[in-house]
Amino acid sequence: MEKLVIKGGTRLEGNVVIGGAKNAAVALLPATLLVDGICTISNLPYISDVKISCKILEELGAKVTWNGKNEVTIDARNISSSQAPIDMTSKFRASYYLIGALLGRCHHAIVGLPGGCNLGARPIDQHIKGFEALGATVEICEGKINAHAKDLIGTSIYLDKVSVGATINVMLASVLAKGTTIIENVAKEPHVVDVANFLNSMGADIRGAGTDLIKINGVERLNGNTTYSVVPDQIEAGTFMLAAAATKGNILIKNCIPEHLDCLTAKLIEMGVNVETFNDSIRVYTDKRPNKANITTMPYPGYPTDLQPQIGVALSLADGTSIINEGIWESRFQYTAELNKMGAHIIDQGRSAIFQGITDLYGAPVAATDLRAGAALIIAGIVAHGETSITNIYHIDRGYENIEDKFRSLGANIQRVIEEDIF
Ligand code: UD1
């Protein structure tokens, strides 16, 4: 079993370079199944969700060539199967994009129900509603989703919930459909725009990504022979911004898009933390405890749920009492029990939590309860007096490339150690 061991009490200082966005990468890779040619994706984060996505593409018959750690060339012209291996799809959430991509490409998809972080119920009814509206029949049986269609025909779809996954999935299924598809009440996250840009660069006709309505004029085929660079990861950038705030540090976060983080920047300024934005970098610095603040997580451009645990660490150290309302997931406060083991005073009330600010955290053995919770516990361990050990770090490896190297380069004392299981 691997764990991270952190000797805390460090003020983080220095520069960090942000990689490509996990949530864009895991959609772009299945999207290559729609391309009738060879395409190269660069600025890919080298994380387990990406590695497994590439393995699945290979299992489906695509030729996948790694050109170094962060770039891959995919030739999906001759895929041999529309059935994704269940043992692989169950390992991460974004495997659901294989349904839209395979349905669009082959008019048939069998994909295991998606896995991923346990954040409460994670229904995919809006994905299914979209596929069915396009003319597909969708059945769920024995842990698998079986979708098939004679033809996919463009139509109007109104999503009942603003869903990143449903927006991208329906977009994937409709790029090669006959006629025009209009999807309303869509998600506007940067990775939704990134997937639309990728597909358009291959010859798709998608308009409106980044607004509430996306219009897709179906095309006959997508051409390859293009290199596409994944958008910088706004959640990784935000994680380091919050690490600077919590550790009273000074970090220049390079290779990010500051506009994607406007919401966090505004919140940090409200918390008395200094933020300077440049063209493609952000500096965050402070030498004081943060001020208290209240937060409600929302779809983009609101405060992202994927930066909720990380700001929870900063607020647990704030001057005063703060409240976080979780607007997206029903079980996203599991990390608060771990932070309380480190001396935080957080009352978990289900969909909201009360953070009574304290001045110091103390090292303790804790467990990453999900991906972003794991990142939050690393920040807490760096702030805390004494030693923190974090187990279940496979969650963290799903979404952050070289996280301990990046924190170490900022001054953190953090080591990955392999511990033999006692039982
Ligand atoms: C994506 C991100 C995840 C992030 C989340 C919200 C990926 C791979 N994951 O997850 O990191 O936390 O967006 O920003 O990109 N919902 C339904 N029915 C559906 C789909 C969603 O009711 O068919 C609900 C969900 O329960 C949730 C809300 O809609 O309450 C948003 O979910 P959604 O945006 O779909 O999240 P994911 O795409 O799974």
Side-chain angles (χ1 to χ4, degrees), residues 11-13 243-251 284-287:
R11 176 174 192 258
L12 295 177
E13 280 184 285
T247 65
K248 299 183 193 153
N250 183 345
I251 305 180
V284 180
Y285 60 100
T286 184
D287 54 11

Side-chain angles (χ1 to χ4, degrees), residues 79-379:
I79 63 165
S80 49
S81 170
S82 52
Q83 179 161 356
I86 289 195
D87 53 329
M88 294 190 188
T89 54
S90 63
K91 291 212 161 62
F92 66 122
R93 180 77 190 155
S95 56
Y96 52 38
Y97 291 133
L98 291 158
I99 314 168
L102 286 169
L103 197 55
R105 165 74 188 265
C106 313
H107 289 189
H108 179 237
I110 298 183
V111 178
L113 285 168
C117 291
N118 177 13
L119 309 173
R122 299 186 75 174
I124 56 164
D125 56 301
Q126 298 304 305
H127 305 230
I128 294 171
K129 169 176 155 168
F131 300 144
E132 287 178 341
L134 289 165
T137 301
V138 184
E139 290 141 9
I140 300 181
C141 185
E142 296 176 348
K144 289 183 250 179
I145 302 151
N146 183 339
H148 50 96
K150 190 162 168 293
D151 278 316
L152 293 167
I153 313 279
T155 184
S156 288
I157 300 156
Y158 189 97
L159 298 178
D160 302 327
K161 270 258 172 140
V162 177
S163 157
V164 172
T167 301
I168 294 178
N169 230 344
V170 178
M171 203 158 75
L172 293 174
S174 52
V175 199
L176 299 175
K178 289 189 182 134
T180 299
T181 301
I182 290 174
I183 323 173
E184 286 186 78
N185 196 29
V186 294
K188 296 181 277 214
E189 267 72 357
H191 36 293
V192 173
V193 179
D194 207 39
V195 178
N197 287 343
F198 165 75
L199 292 167
N200 283 342
S201 76
M202 302 283 156
D205 182 356
I206 303 172
R207 298 162 197 211
T211 73
D212 292 314
L213 184 150
I214 295 179
K215 183 175 174 188
I216 302 143
N217 293 313
V219 294
E220 296 254 312
R221 63 186 287 268
L222 299 185
N223 318 295
N225 303 324
T226 309
T227 296
Y228 188 84
S229 178
V230 181
V231 70
D233 196 321
Q234 114 230 45
I235 303 300
E236 188 193 11
T239 299
F240 284 102
M241 289 170 75
L242 287 160
T247 65
K248 299 183 193 153
N250 183 345
I251 305 180
L252 179 65
I253 294 132
K254 293 175 152 181
N255 188 36
C256 62
I257 300 178
E259 296 75 36
H260 291 170
L261 289 145
D262 278 351
C263 179
L264 174 57
T265 297
K267 195 49 77 176
L268 284 173
I269 291 169
E270 184 186 323
M271 289 160 67
V273 177
N274 303 300
V275 184
E276 286 173 11
T277 54
F278 308 97
N279 277 345
D280 60 357
S281 59
I282 304 177
R283 180 179 293 285
V284 180
Y285 60 100
T286 184
D287 54 11
K288 312 190 297 252
R289 282 176 81 187
N291 301 330
K292 65 182 173 148
N294 295 332
I295 285 156
T296 299
T297 64
M298 288 180 199
Y300 187 82
Y303 190 90
T305 175
D306 286 356
L307 288 174
Q308 191 259 90
Q310 300 90 317
I311 205 163
V313 176
L315 293 179
S316 70
L317 290 158
D319 187 4
T321 297
S322 310
I323 298 177
I324 300 184
N325 292 304
E326 173 52 50
I328 309 289
W329 300 118
E330 62 191 27
S331 313
R332 193 140 217 182
F333 286 115
Q334 296 168 71
Y335 71 95
T336 58
E338 303 302 302
L339 273 187
N340 283 345
K341 290 180 193 164
M342 300 175 73
H345 289 180
I346 308 166
I347 304 161
D348 173 3
Q349 299 191 314
R351 288 303 288 251
S352 65
I354 301 166
F355 291 71
Q356 295 164 340
I358 40 103
T359 52
D360 296 285
L361 288 171
Y362 297 90
V366 289
T369 48
D370 60 65
L371 166 58
R372 307 303 171 183
L377 291 173
I378 294 179
I379 300 172

Side-chain angles (χ1 to χ4, degrees), residues 21-33 41 44-66 72-74 76 84-85 87-98 101-102 398:
K22 163 192 169 283
N23 287 347
V26 293
L28 293 172
L29 290 167
T32 63
L33 290 169
I41 307 204
L44 267 180
Y46 194 65
I47 52 176
S48 60
D49 276 12
V50 161
K51 289 182 245 179
I52 200 154
S53 297
C54 289
K55 279 204 186 111
I56 294 174
L57 293 179
E58 278 180 319
E59 291 286 321
L60 294 171
K63 198 167 162 238
V64 177
T65 313
W66 286 90
V72 75
T73 297
I74 297 164
D87 53 329
M88 294 190 188
T89 54
S90 63
K91 291 212 161 62
F92 66 122
R93 180 77 190 155
S95 56
Y96 52 38
Y97 291 133
L98 291 158
L102 286 169
R398 283 192 34 240

